Amino acid sequence: PPPFDPGGGGGGVAPPPELLQLLSPVQRRKTAAELNAAILASQSQEREPKLPMLLKMLVWAQDQLAQHAVFPRINNLVEATLEMPPSDMSDQGSEDVQDRIDVPGSVMGV
C-alpha cells in the first residue's frame, strides 16, 4: 500500500487510530516546540527570546532612575524616541509599567 500522506492530498492508506492523535497539527506543533527547546538547551541557549526581557528591564531601570533624577525616557519602545518627563513627577510610581509604555503586545510577548 502507498504511504499515508498527513496532508491528505495523496489518498494513501489511513494510519491506525492510535496514531491519528500523533499526526494531528496540534500534536505536531507541541512536539516541534519540545524538540526546539531540547535543541536550544543542548546548545546552552535560552528557550525564551531575550528582547522582551531586555525591554522590561529598560522600563524597570528607568523607573529606578526616575526616583532619583529627571531624565529623558524611552516611552515608545517601538520607535525608541526620547521624551522629556512632565514637570510634575509626583504620581509617576502609581502606574503599572505596561500602562506607561506604548508597545504593541507582540513586542512584549503579551
Side-chain angles (χ1 to χ4, degrees), residues 83-106:
E83 298 176 16
M84 287 304 294
S87 58
D88 182 19
M89 300 281 293
S90 61
D91 65 342
Q92 180 179 1
S94 64
E95 298 179 55
D96 184 52
V97 168
Q98 198 68 23
D99 294 337
R100 282 196 325 276
I101 54 179
D102 179 21
V103 179
S106 63

Side-chain angles (χ1 to χ4, degrees), residues 40-93:
L40 291 173
S42 73
Q43 296 175 348
S44 300
Q45 295 185 17
E46 296 180 25
R47 292 177 62 160
E48 300 298 322
K50 294 181 181 179
L51 183 59
M53 182 56 70
L54 289 172
L55 294 174
K56 289 176 186 178
M57 287 175 57
L58 170 67
V59 172
W60 176 84
Q62 290 184 136
D63 289 343
Q64 298 301 306
L65 182 58
Q67 295 174 9
H68 304 285
V70 176
F71 65 99
R73 295 180 66 108
I74 299 175
N75 292 326
N76 183 330
L77 299 177
V78 173
E79 295 179 11
T81 54
L82 293 173
E83 298 176 16
M84 287 304 294
S87 58
D88 182 19
M89 300 281 293
S90 61
D91 65 342
Q92 180 179 1

